[in-house]
Amino acid sequence: MIKLESDKWIEGYAFSVHTLYSIYVGENEYGHPTYDTKRTQMGELVYQLKYKQNISILPQILDLLKADSSFVSFIKKDFVILVPATRKDRQFQPVEIVADLLHENGFNNVYAFALTRTKNND
């Protein structure tokens, strides 16, 4: 749910937490930090889609969303606004792919382009 006050967000909800924990474990052979990371089930799927460009996991994302009765109930009466991508140089935009997936499966209250970024972090 999103509440606005004078064009400012005062409340919103996310479907799932992405990372349960991430503990620094040292550096790899290139001097880059490495972590022991534990993600939620949805967090791991989003990671696979976003960073590994693994689109084969889309049915699993849809299954998790459909299995969440609060999400299904919410989306039938309200709407979902997807957060715009931070980086524009990706091979594909995960946000747009998930929005298309939801539309194709009868979730018509999903808006991928309702928000725009005001600061470009590219």
Side-chain angles (χ1 to χ4, degrees):
M1 184 172 121
I2 297 170
K3 292 182 181 178
L4 297 175
E5 183 176 286
S6 303
D7 295 330
K8 294 181 183 178
W9 294 53
I10 58 171
E11 188 173 353
Y13 298 93
F15 171 78
S16 176
V17 173
H18 184 273
T19 303
L20 297 173
Y21 64 80
S22 189
I23 301 168
Y24 175 76
V25 294
E27 295 180 353
N28 65 15
E29 64 273 16
Y30 304 106
H32 299 128
T34 58
Y35 299 88
D36 173 21
T37 301
K38 174 73 173 169
R39 297 179 187 88
T40 61
Q41 187 177 4
M42 181 62 84
E44 183 60 34
L45 293 171
V46 169
Y47 175 84
Q48 291 296 320
L49 179 64
K50 187 174 181 179
Y51 297 105
K52 303 296 184 184
Q53 292 81 43
N54 181 0
I55 61 172
S56 70
I57 53 82
L58 286 171
Q60 294 170 337
I61 289 176
L62 181 63
D63 288 345
L64 276 180
L65 292 172
K66 284 180 167 180
D68 187 301
S69 60
S70 61
F71 174 79
V72 172
S73 165
F74 175 78
I75 199 168
K76 285 185 177 180
K77 65 180 178 183
D78 290 49
F79 56 90
V80 174
I81 296 175
L82 301 176
V83 176
T86 304
R87 294 179 49 195
K88 297 185 193 259
D89 61 344
R90 296 188 195 282
Q91 183 178 357
F92 62 83
Q93 293 298 340
V95 169
E96 295 170 19
I97 288 176
V98 170
D100 290 343
L101 175 72
L102 291 170
H103 277 285
E104 291 167 6
N105 286 276
F107 296 101
N108 297 318
N109 295 335
V110 178
Y111 302 96
F113 302 104
L115 301 176
T116 57
R117 297 197 72 77
T118 57
K119 180 179 178 186
N120 189 351
N121 294 327
D122 291 346

